[in-house]
Amino acid sequence: MRLISGLLIFFGATDILLAHSLDGEHGLAEQVGHQLVGFHHLPLTILLIAAGLVALRTWYEKTAARDN
């Protein structure tokens, strides 16, 4: 049930954010900056960073337990 709830929240957040790209007149740095720290993209960026940190922590704990 946790997995389903997490997926529903994730897909709901992506639907609200409606990620998009800037037009071709903007440079690469401006487009990347917009995608990562644009106010309306920021919640998804934070969610992805948090999920990555949780995954790394879980992986580290599993490998540390296996080494002991």
Side-chain angles (χ1 to χ4, degrees), residues 15-37:
D15 187 42
I16 292 169
L17 296 177
L18 293 173
H20 59 275
S21 301
L22 298 177
D23 58 8
E25 295 178 5
H26 301 331
L28 180 62
E30 191 174 1
Q31 289 184 10
V32 171
H34 173 80
Q35 293 293 332
L36 294 178
V37 295

Side-chain angles (χ1 to χ4, degrees), residues 38-59:
F39 184 70
H40 55 282
H41 295 288
L42 198 54
L44 184 58
T45 302
I46 292 170
L47 179 67
L48 290 173
I49 290 170
L53 290 174
V54 168
L56 282 174
R57 182 177 178 187
T58 303
W59 176 75

